[in-house]
Amino acid sequence: MRIDLHSHSNASDGTQPPADVVRRARERGLDVLALTDHDTVAGHRAAIEALPAGLTFVPGMELSCRRAGQSIHLLAYLFDPLEPELSAECVRIREARELRGRLTVERLAELGVPVTWEQVSELAAGGPVGRPHIARAMVAAGAIAAPDLAFTPEWIGTGGRAYVTRYALDPEQAVRLVRAAGGVPVLAHPKAAKRGKVVPDEWIAELAGAGLFGVEADHLDHDADARAHVRGLAGELGLAVTGSSDDHGELTGHRLGCETTAPETYERLVAEATGATPVTSPQSGF
């Protein structure tokens, strides 16, 4: 089995609709795909309705967290999307995203970048606005040549001239919320040095104590040393190890399936979940 547990659609900051994501996943030879849009499950229904034969769909989400000013991402799988506390926190995070987006656009305008909120919202296609949408709008405006150039101190990178912070969950709280909703939490790309998002080992140990299931080791933002370190730490803490593409469509070069999770790890993950189950064919009432 080929299993990819981290992907995005245009329900958050990917570039393709959920239906296209699941179609491409099957074309790439995947057997299992998790859709993990940021702080939303809005793309799940469309993905399930378009689910091709032979592909199992895992409902997921990537929760925005922060500790000591550092952004941390937590992958949540097979939780109950209607659980009140987790649902309310997701609404709060999405509202904070919109406020941040509007303020960022205003700061860019002050810096002479002709980007409007309407342009950014159109790129978000009705989903939560994220910095990647703003980066794409900056490219369209001719301010930068490629989206990744926006994430620098000159523009909207952390601490940059147009950077705006926003509300996010403490990761330990997020782990507990996911577990309370019957879900299974996995820490995303914890040693992504190129993103400036290296989660300290002691924090990971604390998250393990709070109920963390696993850590994402095999990720393109991890070099060989980082992968080995994550695996060693996971062994010490009794955590599972996952691998995923973190595909965002055009933004990441359509890389579904470039990293995968072992079948036995997937089976453990599914066994621990009580909030939802994987979907193997379209079904009503989801």
Side-chain angles (χ1 to χ4, degrees), residues 15-16 24 28 247-258:
T15 60
Q16 265 58 56
R24 287 193 299 108
R28 293 293 298 268
D247 177 73
H248 285 68
E250 293 175 11
L251 290 178
T252 53
H254 294 291
R255 65 192 193 191
L256 282 171
C258 66

Side-chain angles (χ1 to χ4, degrees), residues 46-203:
I48 290 170
E49 290 175 348
L51 195 63
L55 182 69
T56 294
F57 178 78
V58 176
M61 178 169 61
E62 187 170 11
L63 276 169
S64 300
C65 305
R66 181 177 294 107
R67 176 175 286 184
Q70 180 173 328
S71 176
I72 298 171
H73 291 172
L74 185 76
L75 295 162
Y77 303 106
L78 299 171
F79 53 90
D80 177 1
L82 300 180
E83 196 284 323
E85 192 171 358
L86 179 59
S87 179
E89 283 293 342
C90 288
V91 170
R92 185 178 180 186
I93 292 170
R94 291 196 298 270
E95 290 175 345
R97 275 187 181 275
E98 178 170 340
L99 177 60
R100 176 204 216 182
R102 290 181 180 275
L103 293 174
T104 300
V105 168
E106 290 178 8
R107 291 192 182 183
L108 287 171
E110 293 170 359
L111 293 170
V113 180
V115 171
T116 67
W117 177 248
E118 290 70 26
Q119 291 170 324
V120 173
S121 297
E122 184 176 350
L123 287 170
V129 169
R131 285 187 296 169
H133 299 121
I134 296 173
R136 289 164 61 192
M138 291 174 67
V139 172
I144 53 177
D148 61 312
L149 298 177
F151 296 91
T152 65
E154 183 178 5
W155 298 116
I156 62 175
T158 302
R161 295 187 299 164
Y163 177 76
V164 177
T165 190
R166 65 178 176 85
Y167 171 76
L169 287 162
D170 178 84
E172 189 169 339
Q173 179 190 7
V175 167
R176 297 187 189 281
L177 283 173
V178 172
R179 285 295 193 180
V184 183
V186 171
L187 187 61
H189 42 70
K191 301 296 180 179
K194 63 177 67 175
R195 297 190 187 195
K197 295 179 179 178
V198 176
V199 182
D201 288 357
E202 55 267 31
W203 291 4

